[in-house]
Amino acid sequence: MEIIQLIEKAKKGDQVAFTSLLDMYWNEVYGFMLKRTENETDAEDITIDTFSKAFDKLASYNPEFQFNTWLIAIAKNVHIDMLRKKKTTLFIDITDEEDHIAYNVADSSPSAEDILITEQNLSRLLQFVKELKPHYQEVIQMRYFQEMSYAEIAEHLSEPLSNVKVKLLRAKKLLAEIIEGSSR
């Protein structure tokens, strides 16, 4: 399908068109930001935010310009905004409790809940989920295990709803790739 047709469908709210555009341009935007930031996490966060903003502002896209050029321009602005925020939060102290919470999120050893789920034949899925980066694990857990709505997740994470949707979309895609890779 031609890009313009996908964009038109996405403008009308077609989720498949959104996913197709995300799949087509993710690597290009992510690769560009990875070169620019030299940090995988920052590049991924910027890419998620870029697609979130792009999908929110899709009606303002001018087809006279290449879609990827438009996405890269958004990504550059997101990166600049991120750098500004980092400057203002550079000297924020992290409490021992916050440090402990962050450490526990990154812990890959199975918890008591994991053992219970293992007995219910969900352990394999959880192992796949644990292969995701912590921020993807978190949104998958909230959406599918805690059954939170997109709005509840957005409120819990203090992120825009569109960011949560893009993050979940990306998490599901990566999880599917992990599962597919393990079945080979």
Side-chain angles (χ1 to χ4, degrees), residues 166-177:
V166 171
K167 213 179 260 190
L168 261 166
L169 188 66
R170 183 72 178 148
K172 288 190 295 187
K173 184 177 189 286
L174 291 170
L175 187 59
E177 289 172 4

Side-chain angles (χ1 to χ4, degrees), residues 87-131:
K87 269 187 181 176
T88 61
T89 60
L90 198 56
F91 299 106
I92 292 177
D93 288 330
I94 296 175
T95 65
D96 287 340
E97 183 182 350
E98 290 169 331
D99 193 41
H100 182 70
I101 290 168
Y103 178 78
N104 285 341
V105 168
D107 186 9
S108 63
S109 62
S111 66
E113 293 89 346
D114 290 350
I115 293 166
L116 284 173
I117 293 171
T118 300
E119 293 170 5
Q120 298 170 358
N121 294 325
L122 290 176
S123 65
R124 191 158 179 186
L125 178 59
L126 277 178
Q127 289 309 115
F128 293 137
V129 169
K130 284 186 175 187
E131 291 181 35

